[in-house]
């Protein structure tokens, strides 16, 4: 039975990964942390620490106290927040990870760290981007993600730390709204479709990016950490994807279920530039072969599920 520590547990991924890990390993075996305080049932129902991921001393204490063997390191600034504050992005994303890796070197715990499609850049092959290819990102977020991949590989080869990671595409979810990302438009479009029947998108309608529905993103994180290490030829970080679409495609699928849905555009140049520098679609063969990765949701099944969940929530709110 794993005993898990999570940094950045209150974010978009943490808010759903925690529930999945608690179900699998038991609530007391999943220790949450975030730089923010939280008084909700979510964090009150199990162990929670308000701690900065750069505070390695405090994290070692927690790891020892709870007998932790695995950390899911989710604390980070995302792409648009990183462009708004590049210094903070470097500090949190790189120094935060460095602190966690040092803790792992000292205590022997395994480390899961998400990288991103942001780790690619404008001269990466754009279609079916291979696992091993050119990575020259032009955003601070991307630079921190490539640095993170390299650091994690270094700690594995040099110190034997069991580091593993995936390059997540944009994640679509309905528990915690995303903040500060470029792919966030795809989440907001569903929320606004249900609330208002219309959406103003900050990316151009024909901007293709890889996406994944949260249940598949969670499955990837758990399956990789449970994979047989002997089968892993790669470690940091595996391409994973479930679908590639643009805002116009998403709007068209929403119209299958909300026929009057309307979309218009007010382009954010910063997020458009980030999206333009990322792949249109990834190839995830290594993840499929080395640890059996296979997503369940495509654009249609995700759209149906998102709209069903959000509509139910709206109807409950009306009562
Ligand atoms: P998020 O922004 O929703 O959550 C991050 C959490 O980290 C927040 O709760 C924040 O309070 C916390 N945090 C920030 N600085 C901290 C610090 N110094 N110490 C401790 N906690 C701190 O992010 P997310 O979407 O949950 O992403 C988690 C990871 O997955 C990140 O590494 C991100 O780059 C990666 N990722 C996310 C996506 C996506 O679409 N959400 C896609 C690719 C990769
Ligand atoms: N979803 C993330 C972002 O847009 C990609 O890593 O920043």
């Amino acid at each position: 039975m794993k005993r898990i520590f999570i940094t950045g547990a209150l974010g978009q991924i943490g808010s759903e990964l925690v529930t999945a890990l608690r179900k699998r390993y038991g609530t007391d075996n999943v220790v949450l942390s975030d730089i923010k305080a939280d008084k909700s049932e979510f964090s009150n129902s199990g162990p929670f620490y308000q701690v900065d991921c750069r505070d390695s001393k405090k994290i070692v204490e927690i790891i020892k106290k709870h007998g932790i063997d695995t950390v899911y390191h989710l604390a980070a600034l995302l792409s648009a927040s990183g462009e708004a504050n590049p210094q903070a992005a470097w500090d949190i994303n790189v120094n935060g990870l460095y602190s966690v890796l040092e803790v792992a070197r000292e205590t022997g715990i395994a480390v899961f760290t998400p990288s991103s499609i942001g780790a690619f850049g404008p001269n990466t092959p754009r279609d079916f981007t291979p696992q091993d290819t050119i990575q020259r990102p032009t955003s601070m977020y991307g630079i921190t993600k490539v640095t993170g991949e390299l650091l994690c590989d270094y700690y594995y080869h040099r110190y034997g730390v069991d580091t593993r990671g995936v390059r997540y595409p944009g994640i679509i979810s309905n528990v915690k709204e995303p903040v500060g990302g470029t792919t966030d438009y795809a989440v907001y479009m569903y929320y606004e479709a249900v609330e208002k029947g219309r959406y103003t998108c900050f990316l151009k309608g024909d901007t293709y990016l890889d996406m994944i529905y949260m249940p598949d993103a969670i499955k990837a994180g758990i399956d990789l950490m449970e994979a047989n290490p002997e089968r892993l030829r790669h470690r940091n970080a595996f391409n994973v994807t479930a679908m590639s679409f643009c805002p116009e495609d998403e709007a068209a699928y929403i119209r299958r279920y909300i026929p009057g849905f309307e979309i218009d555009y007010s382009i954010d140049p910063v997020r458009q530039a980030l999206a333009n520098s990322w792949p249109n679609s990834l190839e995830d063969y290594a993840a499929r072969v080395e640890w059996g990765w296979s997503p369940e949701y495509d654009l249609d099944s995700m759209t149906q599920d998102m709209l069903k969940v959000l509509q139910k929530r709206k109807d409950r709110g009306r009562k």
Side-chain angles (χ1 to χ4, degrees), residues 53-126:
C53 64
R54 291 162 291 187
D55 186 350
S56 50
K57 203 165 154 238
K58 178 77 185 158
I59 293 179
V60 168
E61 278 171 29
I62 299 167
I63 300 278
K64 288 186 174 162
K65 178 172 172 200
H66 290 273
I68 299 295
D69 55 51
T70 303
V71 59
Y72 281 79
H73 175 52
L74 305 180
L77 290 193
L78 274 78
S79 57
S81 303
E83 286 315 286
N85 196 342
Q87 292 75 18
W90 177 269
D91 192 23
I92 295 169
N93 295 10
V94 177
N95 294 331
L97 174 59
Y98 175 74
S99 139
V100 167
L101 289 170
E102 276 295 294
V103 169
R105 183 169 72 86
E106 186 180 332
T107 60
I109 58 173
V111 181
F112 174 82
T113 314
S115 184
S116 158
I117 49 172
F120 297 116
N123 52 7
T124 300
R126 297 186 71 81

Side-chain angles (χ1 to χ4, degrees), residues 78-79 116 141 170 181-183 278:
L78 274 78
S79 57
S116 158
Y141 179 68
T182 300
T183 56
W278 296 348

Side-chain angles (χ1 to χ4, degrees), residues 172-174 186-199 213 249-261 297-315:
I172 289 146
S173 66
N174 51 49
V187 181
Y188 300 149
M189 198 188 301
Y190 288 117
Y191 275 75
E192 304 239 330
V194 170
E195 279 306 313
K196 302 176 184 159
R198 60 174 328 284
Y199 176 62
Y213 196 28
D249 293 339
E250 183 178 343
Y253 273 80
I254 290 175
R255 272 187 215 108
R256 290 182 177 189
Y257 307 102
I258 306 180
F261 175 69
Y297 286 88
D298 61 12
L299 178 53
D300 191 33
S301 49
M302 176 179 76
T303 299
Q304 288 187 53
D305 201 57
M306 280 294 289
L307 295 178
K308 191 174 81 192
V309 171
L310 295 173
Q311 188 61 49
K312 243 192 215 161
R313 197 174 298 157
K314 186 177 173 189
D315 294 344

Side-chain angles (χ1 to χ4, degrees), residues 146-207:
V146 176
T147 306
E149 291 182 13
L150 294 172
L151 264 179
C152 288
D153 275 348
Y154 183 82
Y155 273 71
Y156 169 66
H157 289 296
R158 176 77 198 261
Y159 301 116
V161 175
D162 184 0
T163 58
R164 307 182 191 193
V166 295
R167 294 185 186 123
Y168 278 133
I171 300 176
I172 289 146
S173 66
N174 51 49
V175 173
K176 180 89 179 253
E177 287 186 44
V179 182
T182 300
T183 56
D184 299 3
Y185 88 81
V187 181
Y188 300 149
M189 198 188 301
Y190 288 117
Y191 275 75
E192 304 239 330
V194 170
E195 279 306 313
K196 302 176 184 159
R198 60 174 328 284
Y199 176 62
T200 300
C201 186
F202 58 74
L203 291 186
K204 289 183 189 158
D206 59 356
T207 310

Side-chain angles (χ1 to χ4, degrees), residues 253-271:
Y253 273 80
I254 290 175
R255 272 187 215 108
R256 290 182 177 189
Y257 307 102
I258 306 180
F261 175 69
E262 285 176 19
I263 184 166
D264 63 4
Y265 297 90
S266 171
I267 305 307
D268 170 6
V270 172
R271 286 183 284 193

Side-chain angles (χ1 to χ4, degrees), residues 204-236:
K204 289 183 189 158
D206 59 356
T207 310
Y208 276 88
L209 290 168
D210 275 89
M211 301 281 177
I212 191 171
Y213 196 28
M214 186 62 92
D216 282 328
I218 299 295
K219 183 160 76 88
I222 294 176
D223 287 356
L224 177 57
M225 291 315 282
E226 291 194 342
N228 178 356
E230 284 166 19
R231 286 184 60 198
L232 300 182
R233 206 170 62 73
H234 297 82
R235 286 214 157 232
N236 306 285

